[in-house]
């Protein structure tokens, strides 16, 4: 048994992350050891598919319970989310949290180049002065959607207790000024097609995910804004 303390915690965290990655592999959401064409046009040896991360209900429930356990000591009135996959996870987090919070969601949209999130009027009374809100996201990328959600909560007088998510790309070092708990914190390299070591090795290009909705991180990670396709309206 390793001695208790910081080192043991770090080892635990590493083991836990491996388990979570393995779960995401089982759903088919996390793929590795290939040569993917990303929706952004970049090439990469790994891919995480936002759509597939919540397809196995028992896995999603298990992962949601881990997030809920992390935030169990904080009172939470509302679990707030946006986006289909994130909402499924948010349901599982809310179900497992000891405060028995309400589940609410914001809708996503795009106006010209700007993203926006809107709280349906029916939810206005559940988030107001002093409401403690836990935000749940599936993949944290640039954190742009999260910033919008935090602003939405605070404008209504609520407080964001924390942010729970499945996957965070750690190299982007998103600082939202709130505690973030992520089941996986992982980054993988992406390459310009003209400078791709996988191409140089002659590996065939897997185009399976090329037309997926671009994840925010790929769209923003070094690709010029002009190449970014607008997201469909929520
Ligand atoms: Zn390549």
């Amino acid at each position: 048994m390793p001695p208790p303390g910081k080192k043991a915690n770090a080892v635990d965290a590493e083991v836990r992350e491996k388990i979570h990655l393995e779960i995401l592999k089982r759903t088919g959401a996390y793929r590795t050891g290939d040569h993917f064409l990303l929706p952004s046009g970049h090439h990469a040896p790994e891919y995480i598919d936002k759509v597939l991360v919540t397809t196995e209900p028992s896995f999603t429930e298990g992962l949601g319970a881990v997030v809920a356990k992390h935030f169990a000591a904080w009172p939470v009135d509302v679990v707030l989310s946006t986006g289909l996959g994130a909402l499924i996870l948010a349901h599982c987090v809310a179900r497992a949290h000891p405060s028995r919070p309400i589940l609410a969601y914001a809708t996503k949209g795009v106006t010209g180049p700007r993203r926006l999130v809107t709280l349906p009027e029916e939810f206005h009374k559940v988030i107001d002065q002093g409401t403690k809100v836990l935000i749940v996201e599936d993949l944290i990328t640039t954190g742009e959607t999260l910033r919008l959600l935090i602003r939405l909560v605070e404008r209504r007088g609520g407080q964001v207790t924390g942010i729970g998510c499945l996957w965070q790309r750690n190299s982007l070092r998103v600082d939202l000024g709130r505690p973030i708990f992520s089941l996986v914190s992982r980054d993988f390299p992406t390459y310009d097609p003209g400078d791709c070591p996988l191409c140089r090795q002659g590996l065939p290009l897997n185009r399976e995910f090329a037309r997926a909705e671009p994840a925010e991180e790929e769209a923003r990670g070094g690709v010029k804004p002009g190449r970014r396709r607008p997201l469909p309206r929520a």
Side-chain angles (χ1 to χ4, degrees), residues 35-36 42-44 191-200 203 205:
H35 180 198
F36 294 109
H42 284 122
H43 296 186
Y191 306 107
D192 281 326
D195 189 30
C196 172
L198 306 166
C199 284
R200 282 199 294 275
L203 287 173
L205 193 60

Side-chain angles (χ1 to χ4, degrees), residues 73-95:
W74 283 274
V76 173
D77 303 311
V78 173
V79 171
L80 177 69
S81 190
T82 184
L84 286 175
L87 186 56
I88 295 166
L89 176 67
H91 168 95
C92 296
V93 174
R95 180 75 181 85

